[in-house]
Amino acid sequence: MSLNCTEIDKILEELDLEGSYIQKIVQSSYSVMVLHLYKNRPVNLLICLEPGACRLHETRQKIPKFDKPLRFMELLRSRLRGAKITKAEQLNHDRIVKLSLEAASGSLHLYIRLWSGAANMILTDNGVIVDAFYRRPSRHEISGESWREPEAAQPDTAAQPAKVYTIRSYDPALSFNEAIDQWYAQKAPVLSLEALRAEAEQFYGLKIEKLTRALEKLTAKKQSFLESGTLKHQGDILLANLYRIPPGASVIELEDYAEDNRIIHINLDPRKTAQENAAVYYERYKKAVSGLEALTDDIEASKRAIESLIAEREQLRHEENPHIIDKILRKKKIPAQQKHAAQEKERPGLTFYYQDWILYVGRTAAENDELLRHHVRGKDMWLHTRDYAGGYVFIKNKNGKTVPLPVLIAAGNLAVFYSKARRNGQADLYYTAVKNLRRAKNAPKGTVLPSNEKNLLIKLDQTILKQLEDSQERAEAHI
């Protein structure tokens, strides 16, 4: 329910805005703007243009900042910061509030129309629209258009008496501004605690359910990989009985020497020789073992993600400020491809933070190539394992600073961890500045030839890896 004209008059009467200075302007969502004012005391003037909840009043709620600068807010900041409100009035009891302002650029007027069907904020200069919160060409509410104040309706003696609007009942121990602030925090359809908490429960419930189902699938897949020893055993039996396998056979019955010589059936590819079929079983075994390590990591990551979501949901269950809940939900609902819209291009791979240094990890040839092309510079440091396939690790340069040894060792741990040397627990690395890398001609994507490289022997340190993992999770929590 939006404010009626009588309630708006009551709000303005209590606030006595004339003589107030605009110190700061914050937009907490797509429809809520807050002017931080000061006269005899600080006043946070909330302006909401949401249909069904259009209002203007003082708020004592903590107002979070929106994630990215928005057009109209930036305009108000540039034109109205430091401006003095010389007059605040409602025009013709029509739910249009006019703020007359003395700014550095001269006299301006800010019109706040609190109509649920056509709410807007319009800044004018000498009768010309500077800009509008909602640009509506059909109503001529765009930059450069002339602006005319709405005229008072002429009384019609033949018409029915005009409707009389009253102020809703409220606790007399509170000011009307305080009562309205509480009312909308508890009951408004857009920013009510009850509605937002229900929305949060649904959002986090679906997220947790989806991750739980994925975790169950990963666990089942891990169980099948744990039984991969059977593949190696079947390959051993085939090699031990090569002379018994006829060419072109699609299945063979052989004695299992490990199971009291019981007869087992082993499927074969008739297009391959007996030895080639054995090699196929060994290759499937190797892939299963390799996949088991990745699956274990994915399972642990899924468990941590579920625990994090449960903790966030519990925190929101106890949050009393609807604006904060609203901001968190809006941020969580931004599609992944839009989260880094402010950046030139979304960075691939993984990002870690260690002792205030930024580390990038490319896990595949495509990620390595993308990082090299668009996200690292000549003075950044590159690390890679010798004699083992693996991802590239980069340490972002800090002007005038040399990479400390602990940071170099941490980056080296990442290079070993995200390589085929992980099972060995150690590997030799080489490292050099990105400017010392050159692309290899006719080589696979991401392949580089280093020069002026130095050597480094790294043994995996679980303490360092845990610190890096924690730093990555903290960074993702703020995305």
Side-chain angles (χ1 to χ4, degrees):
M1 184 171 70
S2 301
L3 291 178
N4 63 45
C5 57
T6 306
E7 291 173 331
I8 292 172
D9 280 337
K10 179 69 173 175
I11 292 285
L12 294 176
E13 179 187 349
E14 283 188 357
L15 290 178
D16 187 23
L17 298 176
E18 294 178 9
S20 299
Y21 287 87
I22 300 176
Q23 295 187 316
K24 188 167 65 169
I25 300 166
V26 173
Q27 188 167 355
S28 64
S29 72
Y30 286 111
S31 58
V32 176
M33 187 86 72
V34 178
L35 306 182
H36 294 264
L37 311 176
Y38 190 85
K39 184 179 177 182
N40 301 318
R41 63 180 182 86
V43 171
N44 296 333
L45 182 65
L46 182 143
I47 304 165
C48 179
L49 305 181
E50 189 71 34
C54 292
R55 62 194 191 274
L56 170 147
H57 59 85
E58 180 182 4
T59 182
R60 301 293 176 88
Q61 304 281 354
K62 181 181 178 182
I63 304 297
K65 294 181 180 179
F66 203 66
D67 298 321
K68 61 179 181 180
L70 298 177
R71 171 187 53 80
F72 195 67
M73 178 191 69
E74 290 294 288
L75 169 73
L76 294 187
R77 283 180 174 176
S78 65
R79 301 294 294 268
L80 300 187
R81 192 179 304 183
K84 180 181 179 180
I85 300 176
T86 57
K87 192 173 184 179
E89 58 184 324
Q90 180 180 188
L91 300 178
N92 308 320
H93 299 285
D94 200 19
R95 291 177 294 158
I96 300 176
V97 175
K98 175 184 177 183
L99 299 182
S100 300
L101 304 154
E102 282 297 333
S105 58
S107 297
L108 301 171
H109 295 96
L110 181 65
Y111 293 88
I112 305 165
R113 188 170 60 218
L114 301 175
W115 300 352
S116 283
N120 210 348
M121 293 175 65
I122 299 169
L123 183 66
T124 68
D125 185 355
N126 292 320
V128 178
I129 296 177
V130 178
D131 207 349
F133 190 97
Y134 296 120
R135 290 172 173 168
R136 296 191 175 108
S138 61
R139 299 179 66 101
H140 304 288
E141 294 175 359
I142 57 175
S143 302
E145 289 281 355
S146 297
W147 170 259
R148 293 180 61 185
E149 288 187 4
E151 298 177 356
Q154 296 299 320
D156 186 352
T157 54
Q160 294 183 354
K163 182 177 179 180
V164 177
Y165 292 93
T166 59
I167 294 173
R168 69 192 77 179
S169 60
Y170 65 96
D171 185 350
L174 302 174
S175 70
F176 188 57
N177 275 270
E178 291 171 336
I180 286 296
D181 194 29
Q182 289 186 11
W183 192 93
Y184 280 101
Q186 296 168 4
K187 300 180 182 179
V190 180
L191 288 177
S192 70
L193 275 174
E194 183 180 349
L196 286 169
R197 282 177 176 164
E199 185 181 351
E201 286 290 331
Q202 181 183 28
F203 174 79
Y204 280 94
L206 290 173
K207 283 276 189 183
I208 292 169
E209 182 183 354
K210 183 178 179 180
L211 278 176
T212 301
R213 288 199 301 267
L215 179 60
E216 290 172 353
K217 290 180 180 179
L218 289 173
T219 304
K221 193 172 183 180
K222 180 181 178 181
Q223 186 58 39
S224 69
F225 278 13
L226 288 172
E227 298 169 358
S228 61
T230 304
L231 297 171
K232 180 177 182 299
H233 183 57
Q234 290 176 329
D236 291 341
I237 293 174
L238 288 176
L239 283 183
N241 295 274
L242 291 176
Y243 64 96
R244 294 184 178 180
I245 303 173
S250 58
V251 66
I252 188 69
E253 294 182 352
L254 296 172
E255 293 181 351
D256 186 352
Y257 56 85
E259 295 288 340
D260 299 326
N261 293 326
R262 68 181 179 90
I263 302 299
I264 63 170
H265 294 76
I266 301 178
N267 293 321
L268 302 172
D269 185 342
R271 296 167 297 179
K272 298 181 182 295
T273 66
Q275 195 160 3
E276 287 173 340
N277 272 289
V280 168
Y281 276 91
Y282 285 131
E283 184 62 26
R284 288 172 58 191
Y285 166 72
K286 286 172 62 179
K287 287 184 177 180
V289 171
S290 176
L292 183 61
E293 292 182 1
L295 267 179
T296 302
D297 293 340
D298 291 343
I299 287 172
E300 291 304 314
S302 296
K303 288 179 179 178
R304 290 194 299 271
I306 292 173
E307 291 171 0
S308 177
L309 287 171
I310 291 173
E312 289 176 18
R313 181 176 64 180
E314 191 62 26
Q315 180 183 355
L316 290 188
R317 284 174 175 172
H318 295 90
E319 178 57 60
E320 297 294 331
N321 188 338
H323 296 283
I324 292 178
I325 301 176
D326 181 58
K327 180 182 178 181
I328 291 173
L329 288 177
R330 285 180 184 274
K331 194 171 184 179
K332 287 288 183 182
K333 290 180 178 180
I334 297 174
Q337 63 269 27
Q338 296 180 13
K339 285 189 176 180
H340 304 285
Q343 295 183 4
E344 179 180 6
K345 193 171 184 181
E346 186 173 2
R347 187 171 55 251
L350 303 175
T351 302
F352 297 85
Y353 300 89
Y354 195 82
Q355 295 184 5
D356 293 328
W357 289 75
I358 301 174
L359 314 177
Y360 296 160
V361 177
R363 297 162 296 180
T364 64
E367 289 184 352
N368 292 338
D369 187 65
E370 180 68 16
L371 287 170
L372 276 168
R373 287 178 181 273
H374 301 291
H375 301 280
V376 295
R377 298 292 180 265
K379 292 184 179 181
D380 298 335
M381 188 172 290
W382 168 86
L383 297 91
H384 188 252
T385 49
R386 282 187 181 273
D387 306 320
Y388 290 96
Y392 292 170
V393 177
F394 300 94
I395 306 174
K396 292 296 291 179
N397 177 63
K398 287 187 175 184
N399 289 334
K401 293 189 176 182
T402 303
V403 176
L405 181 59
V407 176
L408 185 63
I409 292 174
N413 270 262
L414 289 173
V416 175
F417 187 81
Y418 289 100
S419 75
K420 295 293 185 181
R422 185 196 302 186
R423 278 181 289 178
N424 296 345
Q426 68 177 47
D428 288 317
L429 310 178
Y430 39 21
Y431 65 96
T432 188
V434 170
K435 64 184 178 182
N436 296 325
L437 303 176
R438 63 182 178 87
R439 299 186 183 280
K441 291 183 178 180
N442 303 320
K445 180 186 287 188
T447 304
V448 294
L449 300 175
S451 61
N452 299 326
E453 70 271 24
K454 297 180 180 179
N455 296 316
L456 184 67
L457 171 63
I458 289 290
K459 295 183 179 180
L460 287 180
D461 187 319
Q462 295 302 320
T463 301
I464 293 176
L465 290 173
K466 182 68 171 89
Q467 292 171 349
L468 289 163
E469 179 185 33
D470 291 343
S471 80
Q472 184 192 22
E473 290 176 353
R474 286 195 299 273
E476 291 174 347
H478 289 84
I479 294 178

